[in-house]
Amino acid sequence: MVNPALLVLYGSQTGTAQDTAQRIARQAQRRRLQVLVLPLDSYNVANLISESLVVFVCSTTGQGDPPDNMKNFWRFLFRKSLPAGSLNRLDCAVLGLGDSSYPKFNFVAKKLYKRLQQLGACTLLPVGLADDQHDLGADAVIDPWLVSFWEKVFALYPSLTSVIPLREDEALPPSYMFHFLNNMEEASDRLRIPSDQSVPSQSHPYPARMVFNRRVTEPSHFQDVRHIEFDITGANIEFSAGDVVMMHPCNAAEDVQQFCQLLRLDPESRFTLRPTDNAAVPARLPQPCTVRHLVENYLDIAAVPRRSFFELLSTFATNELEREKLVEFSSAEGQDELHSYCNRPRRTALEVLADFPHTTAELKVDYLLDLFPEIQPRSFSIASSLKAHPNRIQIAVAVVRYKTKLFKPRDGLCSSWLASLNPAQGDVYVPLWVKKGSLKFPTDPDTPVILVGPGTGVAPFRSALQERIAEGKTANVLFFGCRSESKDFYFRSEWEELIKAGHLVLFTAFSRDQEEKVYVQHRVKENGKLLWDLITDKNACFYIAGNAKQMPASVCDSLKEAFQQQGGISSEEAEQMLVAMERTGQFQSETWS
């Protein structure tokens, strides 16, 4: 039997599934297999009937939704018109990447696995369900799953057993070659304002001018939260309540400088990229491009590096001590060590390079795009409505900063970058685009809404309230929670005006303003009668937005308790009632970790 060509298709939202897909491809290359890696929506799904060996790697987003780069594939695959045996020539495997703290854990992988079987595909092994919550992260499932996958492939294609694989310490060829230019040729990494009237997107974002950037927490409060506004006049951007704005952050200037020093790169030098196979040059990199633009806008040097980073780094190491450590970090046995060194203290890729100076000195520039993933876009719930603020997008951003055992505090890349931009010192432009959100609000003017949004979770509800009130929808209940009435009560004066006008009923929970901590779930419980009446008599819709830790589950428990007490129903019936509300869209949540 002829050796197969392996196709690895991935659906990735944050880059983890892409990283895993590339890891599988490297393993295939070392086994001297032909391999192609693609995001699912870049692959012509009609060709699937003629493929022989495919691995699907996919994550789950939102409330059990497929990632953006597999949505078209998903729609096609679930067409009812597809014949049952259409994939009977296909041998395949499905690996899911998920987080068991979310209710729809690995939903997309499970559903894809079932659908492929329905269409006649032969699944070589059970679906892999990797879990970010595991002590050793997703690799605790991925490692043994991959061992099992290769065993099945070798059993299917016995001729592969005679192939001598490449050694683990041999570097594979880079994906791109850098061709450095002399100073005569013009660089073109300026911010481009789209000339056509197309709707801004990830590949063509709109450079929006920042109008203001205000701190909305009291100066002495530990948490810096910003209220930021962008001008989108003429951008051809439409959005409604519940939608999100997307943007790519930039690395800090001092990190860019340190990176260039460590790798002995001149930030002003210019280059073009030449793919070593048939891959396209990344769309976000202008050609030619400066080293500064590449490092500042594209390479994710401030992220906690994945295991694949250490795998590739180890192939450059000539210093024995450094090589041993890097090989250990790359191995299945060394994952506990790697977590202690990297994941727990949140050590960045840049800090790792500084810790391995001999290996960093050996790094070849051609491997930069293999070593560092692309900076992923960040999303923020839009906190305003076009009906109240025409030609504007507003967001509420909590600036992420925390301590670990490392001396330097850890900073969130996007929130710190946004906080550092000061439109009072000259024009600031942020390339952005808008994406449909998961929250949908009722169109019926008489349907009340109950909104539970502690902290910055209130952002999409501010947008919804502005939109609803502009449309004359005044049956609005908001539960807002924060630490202190005087320190982090966001948009207080706006809520007070709406209450005065009779457009809002507000319940607040200030957790640290008294001896006993009070949270939004306590207020939900206290107001069980009002909520029961609104939901059962007026068909009110119930929404939760905010941090995914304990809050959403606690609010749901309080709501179910209210159902039991006010409706005189059992806990099972209360659970069923909530499930039914979720199914019909009467209960919706948007949470993040």
Side-chain angles (χ1 to χ4, degrees):
M1 190 188 267
V2 169
N3 285 351
L6 174 66
L7 176 64
V8 186
L9 297 173
Y10 65 86
S12 186
Q13 196 71 19
T14 62
T16 312
Q18 180 178 354
D19 179 75
T20 304
Q22 286 163 343
R23 178 182 169 193
I24 296 168
R26 286 193 299 276
Q27 291 187 351
Q29 283 175 287
R30 292 196 181 283
R31 289 163 172 81
R32 303 183 193 274
L33 275 177
Q34 260 193 299
V35 63
L36 179 63
V37 186
L38 285 172
L40 277 150
D41 278 356
S42 299
Y43 173 73
N44 182 354
V45 63
N47 293 341
L48 209 52
I49 55 170
S50 52
E51 300 290 355
S52 54
L53 185 60
V54 179
V55 179
F56 298 89
V57 185
C58 49
S59 59
T60 297
T61 69
Q63 311 302 308
D65 301 315
D68 290 344
N69 64 2
M70 70 176 281
K71 279 188 160 59
N72 295 337
F73 166 85
W74 196 249
R75 274 193 293 271
F76 181 91
L77 201 72
F78 283 90
R79 279 186 188 169
K80 290 190 169 63
S81 58
L82 294 181
S86 48
L87 295 181
N88 58 10
R89 289 176 53 189
L90 178 67
D91 291 314
C92 66
V94 179
L95 177 57
L97 305 183
D99 181 326
S100 58
S101 69
Y102 287 86
K104 296 281 178 77
F105 171 59
N106 265 318
F107 185 76
V108 170
K110 292 171 188 171
K111 204 168 169 185
L112 174 60
Y113 182 77
K114 270 193 193 145
R115 182 60 175 153
L116 290 167
Q117 287 181 325
Q118 281 173 357
L119 294 172
C122 169
T123 45
L124 296 177
L125 68 166
V127 57
L129 302 175
D131 184 7
D132 232 19
Q133 291 298 315
H134 191 285
D135 284 348
L136 297 180
D139 282 341
V141 168
I142 295 171
D143 285 355
W145 188 89
L146 282 174
V147 170
S148 184
F149 168 72
W150 287 114
E151 282 171 1
K152 299 284 192 248
V153 172
F154 277 70
L156 208 56
Y157 299 93
S159 56
L160 285 175
T161 52
S162 60
V163 173
I164 299 166
L166 276 174
R167 293 199 324 272
E168 287 294 326
D169 59 355
E170 282 181 72
L172 293 164
S175 300
Y176 301 94
M177 302 294 282
F178 278 61
H179 171 65
F180 282 92
L181 309 173
N182 59 36
N183 290 328
M184 299 308 291
E185 295 156 271
E186 225 2 84
S188 63
D189 51 359
R190 294 283 158 266
L191 198 60
R192 290 182 291 258
I193 295 191
S195 51
D196 59 355
Q197 282 302 296
S198 63
V199 175
S201 63
Q202 181 162 357
S203 50
H204 295 99
Y206 179 79
R209 183 177 63 84
M210 185 182 278
V211 181
F212 62 73
N213 183 350
R214 297 180 190 136
R215 180 173 170 137
V216 289
T217 42
E218 210 249 335
S220 66
H221 190 55
F222 78 99
Q223 174 80 77
D224 180 359
V225 175
R226 300 302 179 98
H227 179 201
I228 299 173
E229 181 176 86
F230 300 101
D231 182 352
I232 53 164
T233 305
N236 204 18
I237 289 177
E238 291 291 324
F239 63 86
S240 47
D243 290 349
V244 294
V245 62
M246 310 286 295
M247 58 192 76
H248 281 107
C250 294
N251 285 310
E254 62 268 28
D255 285 359
V256 174
Q257 187 184 347
Q258 189 194 355
F259 181 88
C260 291
Q261 284 168 351
L262 282 170
L263 274 82
R264 302 184 178 95
L265 291 170
D266 171 7
E268 305 316 321
S269 60
R270 288 171 299 111
F271 63 89
T272 56
L273 286 175
R274 292 176 184 168
T276 52
D277 56 18
N278 55 3
V281 171
R284 285 183 57 224
L285 289 179
Q287 295 292 296
C289 180
T290 64
V291 167
R292 183 186 304 284
H293 184 88
L294 171 74
V295 182
E296 187 172 79
N297 296 279
Y298 192 85
L299 301 181
D300 205 356
I301 61 173
V304 176
R306 298 185 173 104
R307 177 173 160 187
S308 56
F309 177 85
F310 294 91
E311 271 173 29
L312 183 50
L313 210 52
S314 70
T315 62
F316 298 108
T318 51
N319 174 283
E320 202 48 43
L321 270 177
E322 289 188 7
R323 203 183 72 79
E324 272 177 28
K325 202 69 197 160
L326 290 166
V327 168
E328 182 190 0
F329 286 156
S330 311
S331 69
E333 308 74 50
Q335 289 315 287
D336 207 18
E337 274 294 298
L338 177 58
H339 269 251
S340 297
Y341 168 69
C342 229
N343 300 64
R344 291 185 188 108
R346 312 305 292 163
R347 198 182 301 269
T348 69
L350 181 59
E351 289 168 328
V352 172
L353 292 184
D355 280 354
F356 291 85
H358 298 93
T359 307
T360 300
E362 304 276 344
L363 259 183
K364 297 180 179 68
V365 69
D366 291 334
Y367 283 92
L368 285 183
L369 275 80
D370 295 293
L371 196 57
F372 295 94
E374 176 184 354
I375 293 173
Q376 292 295 318
R378 307 309 204 254
S379 62
F380 295 95
S381 293
I382 296 173
S384 59
S385 166
L386 289 169
K387 291 181 172 158
H389 300 276
N391 299 316
R392 297 287 187 266
I393 285 181
Q394 296 182 1
I395 55 174
V397 181
V399 181
V400 177
R401 174 163 255 227
Y402 56 95
K403 282 290 292 174
T404 66
K405 69 177 189 186
L406 300 177
F407 174 73
K408 192 180 168 194
R410 308 290 90 189
D411 291 326
L413 179 63
C414 193
S415 60
S416 302
W417 169 68
L418 282 171
S420 74
L421 303 175
N422 185 357
Q425 293 180 347
D427 281 355
V428 172
Y429 291 90
V430 172
L432 51 78
W433 67 101
V434 162
K435 206 176 90 173
K436 275 271 151 257
S438 64
L439 297 176
K440 302 282 177 283
F441 295 93
T443 49
D444 182 339
D446 298 325
T447 303
V449 294
I450 301 156
L451 313 167
V452 183
T456 54
V458 81
F461 300 147
R462 181 174 180 258
S463 173
L465 288 167
Q466 288 180 359
E467 191 172 283
R468 283 174 60 78
I469 288 157
E471 293 166 351
K473 298 169 182 170
T474 57
N476 306 303
V477 178
L478 173 65
F479 289 84
F480 175 75
C482 62
R483 283 179 167 237
S484 169
E485 185 173 8
S486 62
K487 294 193 168 123
D488 55 343
F489 189 177
Y490 315 141
F491 310 118
R492 175 181 189 159
S493 58
E494 293 182 28
W495 309 140
E496 287 170 349
E497 277 177 38
L498 295 182
I499 294 163
K500 220 178 282 177
H503 296 159
L504 179 68
V505 175
L506 175 68
F507 298 102
T508 52
F510 305 114
S511 63
R512 305 300 198 276
D513 280 355
Q514 60 285 307
E515 219 33 43
E516 286 284 299
K517 287 180 185 168
V518 178
Y519 297 112
V520 281
Q521 54 265 33
H522 299 126
R523 297 295 185 229
V524 167
K525 200 171 176 176
E526 288 164 14
N527 292 281
K529 183 169 182 351
L530 170 71
L531 301 186
W532 173 259
D533 291 346
L534 284 173
I535 289 166
T536 54
D537 296 346
K538 303 221 168 121
N539 220 21
C541 293
F542 192 100
Y543 299 84
I544 303 175
N547 195 301
K549 285 197 182 109
Q550 286 94 30
M551 184 274 295
S554 302
V555 170
C556 287
D557 289 343
S558 293
L559 189 58
K560 285 185 282 192
E561 271 185 56
F563 292 169
Q564 285 174 251
Q565 284 168 7
Q566 302 302 323
I569 60 176
S570 68
S571 62
E572 289 77 17
E573 287 168 324
E575 177 69 44
Q576 283 164 3
M577 188 171 164
L578 194 60
V579 168
M581 284 173 67
E582 195 168 359
R583 205 172 39 242
T584 59
Q586 196 182 354
F587 173 91
Q588 297 174 44
S589 69
E590 181 175 90
T591 56
W592 51 86
S593 53

